[in-house]
Amino acid sequence: MAGKDSGNLKTVRLWRDAALRARKLRSNLRQLTLSAAGADPIDSPDAPQLVLPANIGDIEVLNLGNNGLEEVPDGLGSALGSLRVLVLRRNRFARLPPAVAELGHHLTELDVSHNRLTALGAEVVSALRELRKLNLSHNQLPALPAQLGALAHLEELDVSFNRLAHLPDSLSCLYRLRTLDVDHNQLTAFPRQLLQLAALEELDVSSNRLRGLPEDISALRALKILWLSGAELGTLPSGFCELASLESLMLDNNGLQALPAQFSRLQRLKMLNLSSNLFEEFPAALLPLAGLEELYLSRNQLTSVPSLISGLSRLLTLWLDNNRIRYLPDSIVELTGLEELVLQGNQIAVLPDNFGQLSRVGLWKIKDNPLIQPPYEVCMKGIPYIAAYQKELAHSQPAVQPRLKLLLMGHKAAGKTLLRHCLTEERVEGNQGGGDKEKSYPPSPPPVSKGIEVTSWTADASRGLRFIVYDLAGDESYEVIQPFFLSPGALYVLVVNLATYEPPGFPTTVGSFLHRVGARVPHAVVCIVGTHADLCGERELEEKCLDIHRQIALQEKHDAEGLSRLAQVVDEALARDFELRSASPHAAYYGVSDKNLRRRKAHFQYLLNHRLQILSPVLPVSCRDPRQLQRLRDKLLSVAEHREIFPNLHRVLPRSWQVLEELHFQPPQAQRLWLSWWDSARLGLQAGLTEDRLQSALSYLHESGKLLYFEDSPALKEHVFHNLTRLIDILNVFFQRDPSLLLHKLLLGTSGEGEGEGESSPVVALPNPSQDLLRATQLHHYVEGFLLHGLLPAHVIRLLLKPHVQAQQDFQLLLELLEKMGLCYCLNKPKGKPLNGSTAWYKFPCYVQNEVPHAEAWINGTNLAGQSFVAEQLQIEYSFPFTFPPGLFARYSVQINSHVVHRSDGKLQIFAYRGKVPVVVSYRPAKGVLHPDTLSIASHASLPNIWTAWQAITPLVEELNVLLQEWPGLHYTVHILCSKCLKRGSPNPHAFPGYIEQ
């Protein structure tokens, strides 16, 4: 008895606490508050008596959800004489509480979803004779009692997510039933009992193995909404077409190949989902459905869209993604009411004229198509830009520009610079007189890398094919800016020095570069070129090339298998009930909604379907062998012109856009660092572009990497940075970490100061040795501070850039541009005030080496005075199991500067404040497979004020998410770390295995 009494005490307390949180689910209803007489029931050994308020009989709605209840006190129901609605969802009931039967004579709504019911109890069900709504979803019911059919007033019944293999015959007696949900059960055939429910308006039998529908389903003539998703249907009976009242129909995830000819009789249909079926042709039976507003045909095998689709004049939503559609009919532009148009993952190269008529489209997806007209860069900007492109194309002649971006990547000393010089030579050294003897290039010093360099190479003058060759420096100091040059539609050449290559070095010389490109540009085309082949023996050359090929295959297999396992975990989580997923924090995807799980699964599928296109085998090359160089040229040309590999090479542009680009690179403006908007507008007029048409042209040139135009930046939108070569030269200044070279540049920059010269000039003798020595010492101090802490004052930055930038306006714009790119931030720039170049100090986070922020004590669980604090720590951790984006931490450090104050930066850590709340950002490099790269954002507050910690870190999380969007092929996870583990100082705190809901 003692055990039972203590259980009752706990139950009474739960009822009391739950009643305090009861909500008014109906207007003008009073809240129910139950309290125990005498001592607190937890402290008292005596069972307390419930003290019921005098007006308890007036309560009509009681919500006791989310309380962990296993039973309710007997006799309580009899006191609630006016109760109409009882909510018991998300508790732990294994059966319906007997107290529910006491409410049967007046209860109209009962929600017992998300419990552990294995049986209902015939007596309790029989007592609920006035029930109109019953929710039994997300339980473990193997069967329903026959007494359910006696609930003559029942209008809504939800038994989804149970274990029902059949329904009771008595269900056919529920003549007033309007809504029935039996999805996610174990039915093996359509329940014939349902055919007697003439009043049924909404039915969901999704995710059951029906495998077919009865011919007399036409008996459900009142049906308006029907869910048959994932029901393993191969065909629809002709009787299905007699459901004339249908307005919404979900037939996705089945095996349908065609629709019955009479399907067009469903004239009231407004929404139809046929996604994930086997349609090879657009169903003609849909075209007469003039009232259709939403149509989903994603993930089928369609190759075309009929021109008669324009007859669906009321269409608001059209999803045709992930099919095999090669073209769209011109008539699609007549669907002027469209608000959602999803076409991604097809084979569309040209969009119909007048596409801009679809001006109401807000949701627009077109990626993963071989677009040439308009080009991909235009289409991704949206319908208004497509309209501007097509309008411009109508004003001027089209121009085809076969031009391809080629990026040379690889480790330091891989031979990229020499290879670029040899490839782009106009004259090809070859054999003279037809002999077999090779002729070497004339002796000359090998070219030295100056950092990132750009070269234009006309590979085939007869066809006008031109490569824009980017030689990306292999030094680690350039990693922060390399990602800016990685873009879709480019050919990536990974250069490996075969003379120094050893199999254990594969991860750093090859593997890491492949991961980097795949994360930034999914489905990119990569060619592996081995240099210095002349320094290897024939057998050594073959073994090294085979080893690279083998290890690439192993790495790709390992990554694909890892993604498949992760996708399988998501599938298993989706197969479990949400309640089971939320029962334990150790469950996979604890507390994550089905919607976000499906989003997660789609991302894994995207990563699996967009693996790198790695061309094999490895091409060995010696820059001393003209024949090998010519073979490489031929290989690059053949790859570039392969229409299945680079379908958008021959993109079509308005002639005026091409002329505008050419004018930007002609004297005198070609020598300038930037042009004003009005300068570009004048060039636009020469190209035939009026001012209102200039924006789209500049936007395309920016997206395609021809120039920089930041239309979304208040500080930069009035300027066009067209001279990318000079900009890259400037960037190279900041990422050459040679102290002697930096000091030399600074000394050259100061040689003409004091006399008013605008240019530096060589000085043979110093007029004041002591003063010059002092200045050199000061400059050396600045160089040391830059290389250790990433700090430089503005006037020293200007000295570094003096050969490249003379005008003060150029210099200030350049600093704004560097901040925009996330390379540096101003430490003491007053917000909203002009920059004072003589006093401003700039921080380059990628240069921070040995500075340790004084947040270390706080992170270890003590305050700065060494005293332990009592607070809850909130820490969000991003984990990167495959690769960590290079330069991400440094760029993130810049992006968060506007959100924080009193910051202190270390190489791997930032300590700052958000208002008065401390925040810490930490990066932890990978330590083996079991400890991947992580980036965490943390704050702390007392438990009652934990929301202040959330407020503190939320903007920082948002900034990081924006940066991560630049890496669509990157896999990462987000966890909240256990605050108790953090408080104990655990080196490996528990990470809750869900992820933050978006």
Side-chain angles (χ1 to χ4, degrees):
M1 282 296 291
K4 182 178 180 180
D5 288 342
S6 65
N8 285 337
L9 290 174
K10 180 179 179 182
T11 300
V12 170
R13 188 192 67 167
L14 289 169
W15 269 74
R16 182 194 64 189
D17 295 341
L20 290 171
R21 296 193 298 270
R23 297 177 297 172
K24 293 182 180 179
L25 301 183
R26 299 293 184 272
S27 60
N28 301 319
L29 296 182
R30 300 174 61 188
Q31 295 187 22
L32 171 64
T33 303
L34 296 179
S35 59
D40 187 272
I42 299 304
D43 300 325
S44 172
D46 300 322
Q49 301 297 316
L50 288 175
V51 179
L52 303 180
N55 59 353
I56 191 172
D58 296 336
I59 298 298
E60 295 185 8
V61 177
L62 178 60
N63 185 345
L64 296 172
N66 295 283
N67 281 292
L69 296 173
E70 296 180 1
E71 57 184 14
V72 297
D74 295 335
L76 184 62
S78 60
L80 299 171
S82 298
L83 196 65
R84 298 288 182 266
V85 179
L86 177 59
V87 178
L88 298 174
R89 69 194 311 264
R90 296 192 184 280
N91 283 291
R92 301 175 183 173
F93 296 111
R95 58 185 178 85
L96 283 180
V100 173
E102 302 174 15
L103 305 169
H105 63 286
H106 46 74
L107 199 64
T108 59
E109 297 182 22
L110 176 61
D111 184 350
V112 205
S113 61
H114 295 275
N115 277 277
R116 302 174 181 177
L117 300 179
T118 56
L120 297 180
E123 293 182 0
V124 178
V125 173
S126 299
L128 302 175
R129 51 186 178 273
E130 297 297 325
L131 212 58
R132 286 176 169 78
K133 294 177 63 175
L134 177 58
N135 190 343
L136 299 168
S137 67
H138 295 84
N139 280 286
Q140 303 168 30
L141 295 171
L144 298 176
Q147 288 78 6
L148 199 63
L151 305 182
H153 297 284
L154 201 62
E155 297 177 1
E156 299 181 22
L157 175 60
D158 187 349
V159 292
S160 60
F161 289 90
N162 277 284
R163 302 172 182 176
L164 304 176
H166 58 83
L167 301 180
D169 293 339
S170 61
L171 209 64
S172 60
C173 299
L174 300 177
Y175 299 120
R176 295 187 183 182
L177 199 64
R178 293 184 294 104
T179 300
L180 176 60
D181 191 346
V182 292
D183 72 288
H184 285 85
N185 276 285
Q186 300 173 14
L187 303 178
T188 55
F190 188 89
R192 296 197 60 83
Q193 304 92 316
L194 307 186
L195 301 178
Q196 307 299 317
L197 305 178
L200 203 60
E201 295 180 359
E202 182 175 349
L203 174 62
D204 189 348
V205 285
S206 301
S207 299
N208 285 284
R209 308 185 71 176
L210 303 183
R211 295 193 175 90
L213 298 174
E215 183 67 38
D216 49 352
I217 194 175
S218 56
L220 300 174
R221 295 185 181 277
L223 212 55
K224 294 181 179 179
I225 303 174
L226 178 57
W227 295 75
L228 290 165
S229 307
E232 300 188 12
L233 301 177
T235 58
L236 297 179
S238 58
F240 188 90
C241 305
E242 302 299 325
L243 300 174
S245 298
L246 269 184
E247 296 178 1
S248 297
L249 175 59
M250 274 58 69
L251 285 165
D252 53 298
N253 288 283
N254 282 289
L256 300 174
Q257 296 178 317
L259 297 178
Q262 299 86 357
F263 195 86
S264 57
R265 295 181 183 177
L266 304 177
Q267 284 295 311
R268 294 188 182 180
L269 207 58
K270 295 181 179 179
M271 196 279 281
L272 176 60
N273 191 343
L274 293 170
S275 298
S276 299
N277 277 283
L278 302 174
F279 292 100
E280 296 182 359
E281 296 182 359
F282 192 97
L286 302 182
L287 299 175
L289 300 177
L292 205 59
E293 297 178 357
E294 300 178 43
L295 177 58
Y296 303 89
L297 276 162
S298 308
R299 297 178 297 280
N300 278 280
Q301 301 170 22
L302 305 179
T303 57
S304 63
V305 179
S307 59
L308 292 177
I309 195 173
S310 59
L312 303 177
S313 57
R314 297 185 183 179
L315 212 56
L316 302 175
T317 300
L318 179 59
W319 287 49
L320 297 169
D321 57 291
N322 294 289
N323 280 282
R324 303 171 183 174
I325 299 170
R326 292 185 173 275
Y327 67 90
L328 297 173
D330 294 339
S331 60
I332 199 171
V333 302
E334 298 175 25
L335 299 175
T336 53
L338 275 180
E339 297 175 357
E340 296 184 14
L341 181 56
V342 179
L343 299 169
Q344 69 185 41
N346 280 287
Q347 299 173 23
I348 301 169
V350 179
L351 294 180
D353 293 336
N354 302 314
F355 208 74
Q357 291 182 18
L358 304 178
S359 57
R360 296 183 61 185
V361 171
L363 179 62
W364 162 250
K365 296 184 179 181
I366 189 65
K367 67 178 183 179
D368 298 327
N369 278 283
L371 296 158
I372 62 173
Q373 185 178 343
Y376 174 85
E377 295 85 355
V378 174
C379 292
M380 291 300 292
K381 293 287 285 184
I383 302 294
Y385 288 84
I386 295 173
Y389 165 89
Q390 292 184 332
K391 181 180 179 182
E392 193 57 42
L393 205 60
H395 276 83
S396 61
Q397 294 295 321
V400 178
Q401 281 193 313
R403 180 168 51 187
L404 188 64
K405 185 176 181 180
L406 188 150
L407 293 102
L408 297 173
M409 304 182 66
H411 210 259
K412 188 177 181 180
K416 300 182 294 299
T417 302
L418 178 60
L419 182 64
R420 172 172 59 86
H421 276 267
C422 295
L423 276 178
T424 57
E425 285 289 334
E426 293 294 333
R427 179 173 59 90
V428 179
E429 295 288 350
N431 296 338
Q432 305 295 323
D436 293 331
K437 184 179 179 181
E438 297 179 3
K439 180 179 179 181
S440 301
Y441 289 109
S444 60
V448 178
S449 174
K450 302 176 183 178
I452 296 176
E453 298 182 73
V454 186
T455 307
S456 179
W457 169 35
T458 302
D460 191 329
S462 62
R463 287 172 285 188
L465 177 58
R466 186 153 57 103
F467 286 100
I468 309 300
V469 184
Y470 285 76
D471 178 359
L472 301 185
D475 194 284
E476 291 183 0
S477 60
Y478 287 86
E479 285 188 344
V480 69
I481 59 173
Q482 280 183 352
F484 289 108
F485 302 97
L486 310 184
S487 59
L491 173 57
Y492 294 83
V493 176
L494 178 53
V495 183
V496 183
N497 186 341
L498 292 177
T500 60
Y501 173 78
E502 295 293 339
F506 172 86
T508 56
T509 56
V510 180
S512 62
F513 287 97
L514 295 179
H515 276 149
R516 186 178 307 174
V517 175
R520 185 77 174 189
V521 188
H523 214 49
V525 181
V526 182
C527 179
I528 314 293
V529 174
T531 58
H532 302 91
D534 54 315
L535 301 181
C536 302
E538 184 176 344
R539 183 173 180 180
E540 178 190 6
L541 190 66
E542 181 181 358
E543 289 178 349
K544 289 185 174 182
C545 289
L546 286 175
D547 180 78
I548 293 173
H549 181 75
R550 181 183 62 84
Q551 292 209 55
I552 289 176
L554 288 174
Q555 176 171 290
E556 282 294 297
K557 180 182 178 183
H558 175 267
D559 292 350
E561 289 177 346
L563 290 171
S564 297
R565 284 194 297 270
L566 292 170
Q568 184 178 356
V569 173
V570 175
D571 282 334
E572 292 171 353
L574 277 169
R576 287 193 296 272
D577 175 36
F578 177 81
E579 185 70 17
L580 293 176
R581 287 205 306 274
S582 304
S584 167
H586 299 284
Y589 292 104
Y590 166 71
V592 180
S593 67
D594 284 358
K595 177 183 177 181
N596 275 337
L597 277 180
R598 285 191 289 268
R599 183 189 301 171
R600 196 76 167 166
K601 180 182 177 181
H603 181 63
F604 285 136
Q605 200 59 53
Y606 174 80
L607 296 181
L608 286 168
N609 294 339
H610 291 78
R611 306 301 302 159
L612 288 176
Q613 302 177 76
I614 303 175
L615 308 178
S616 58
V618 178
L619 292 175
V621 172
S622 167
C623 287
R624 294 182 173 275
D625 189 334
R627 292 177 302 182
Q628 291 184 2
L629 287 170
Q630 189 58 44
R631 184 183 65 177
L632 178 57
R633 290 190 186 94
D634 293 341
K635 177 67 174 180
L636 296 177
L637 277 171
S638 66
V639 170
E641 293 185 327
H642 198 295
R643 289 200 174 262
E644 291 188 6
I645 299 178
F646 289 107
N648 58 351
L649 175 64
H650 298 276
R651 64 191 66 189
V652 179
L653 293 178
R655 177 65 182 166
S656 55
W657 289 14
Q658 183 178 352
V659 173
L660 177 68
E661 178 188 346
E662 294 170 353
L663 288 173
H664 273 84
F665 301 109
Q666 290 180 2
Q669 56 270 6
Q671 304 306 315
R672 296 173 58 184
L673 179 60
W674 57 270
L675 299 177
S676 70
W677 163 268
W678 296 109
D679 291 334
S680 287
R682 282 190 286 271
L683 296 178
L685 289 174
Q686 296 180 43
L689 286 166
T690 55
E691 184 182 330
D692 61 314
R693 291 151 50 202
L694 178 64
Q695 183 90 4
S696 299
L698 289 177
S699 176
Y700 165 74
L701 294 175
H702 171 84
E703 294 294 334
S704 57
K706 309 301 188 306
L707 48 76
L708 297 180
Y709 171 58
F710 299 99
E711 55 186 306
D712 60 340
S713 170
L716 300 173
K717 66 181 180 180
E718 298 298 327
H719 304 87
V720 177
F721 297 88
H722 65 297
N723 197 333
L724 295 186
T725 302
R726 281 187 65 186
L727 280 177
I728 291 173
D729 288 342
I730 290 170
L731 293 176
N732 286 333
V733 170
F734 291 107
F735 295 99
Q736 292 173 343
R737 301 198 179 198
D738 186 336
S740 60
L741 183 60
L742 287 170
L743 185 59
H744 177 68
K745 287 179 180 290
L746 290 174
L747 290 172
L748 284 178
T750 60
S751 61
E753 288 191 351
E755 303 297 331
E757 290 99 331
E759 303 287 343
S760 60
S761 56
V763 177
V764 176
L766 297 176
N768 191 336
S770 60
Q771 182 180 357
D772 197 72
L773 180 62
L774 177 62
R775 177 171 294 182
T777 302
Q778 290 175 335
L779 294 177
H780 186 267
H781 173 72
Y782 285 133
V783 170
E784 284 186 338
F786 181 48
L787 295 179
L788 271 180
H789 309 301
L791 282 173
L792 277 180
H795 68 277
V796 175
I797 296 177
R798 187 166 184 183
L799 288 177
L800 276 176
L801 299 179
K802 195 168 185 179
H804 307 280
V805 180
Q806 283 79 40
Q808 178 67 19
Q809 186 180 13
D810 286 1
F811 178 64
Q812 290 187 359
L813 274 176
L814 183 62
L815 291 177
E816 294 282 357
L817 180 61
L818 292 176
E819 286 194 69
K820 174 71 176 177
M821 297 175 71
L823 302 181
C824 68
Y825 63 88
C826 185
L827 286 174
N828 54 347
K829 178 180 177 181
K831 295 186 183 297
K833 296 182 180 180
L835 177 69
N836 184 351
S838 61
T839 59
W841 280 78
Y842 283 82
K843 183 92 167 182
F844 291 77
C846 59
Y847 269 94
V848 177
Q849 293 297 317
N850 60 352
E851 186 178 345
V852 178
H854 36 260
E856 187 174 7
W858 180 85
I859 295 164
N860 290 334
T862 58
N863 61 21
L864 300 184
Q867 301 297 319
S868 297
F869 60 81
V870 180
E872 293 296 319
Q873 186 166 337
L874 174 64
Q875 184 163 333
I876 297 178
E877 183 179 86
Y878 288 69
S879 180
F880 302 84
F882 290 104
T883 186
F884 185 79
L888 177 66
F889 184 73
R891 286 190 63 205
Y892 181 53
S893 175
V894 175
Q895 296 302 117
I896 66 173
N897 188 58
S898 61
H899 298 289
V900 299
V901 293
H902 308 308
R903 62 183 292 170
S904 176
D905 290 26
K907 184 177 182 180
L908 304 177
Q909 206 166 69
I910 303 165
F911 176 49
Y913 282 87
R914 284 266 301 144
K916 296 181 179 180
V917 182
V919 292
V920 173
V921 178
S922 305
Y923 168 57
R924 186 176 64 186
K927 295 180 180 179
V929 179
L930 298 179
H931 299 282
D933 295 91
T934 60
L935 195 157
S936 63
I937 307 165
S939 182
H940 73 250
S942 61
L943 189 57
N945 296 319
I946 195 65
W947 64 273
T948 62
W950 273 110
Q951 284 186 320
I953 68 173
T954 296
L956 310 188
V957 170
E958 292 173 349
E959 289 286 1
L960 181 56
N961 289 339
V962 169
L963 284 177
L964 290 174
Q965 288 175 9
E966 299 176 2
W967 299 83
L970 181 68
H971 168 58
Y972 62 92
T973 59
V974 188
H975 300 92
I976 299 177
L977 300 187
C978 174
S979 62
K980 293 182 179 179
C981 294
L982 294 172
K983 191 178 292 187
R984 288 197 304 265
S986 171
N988 296 299
H990 175 71
F992 289 98
Y995 72 105
I996 296 176
E997 300 283 315
Q998 303 294 326

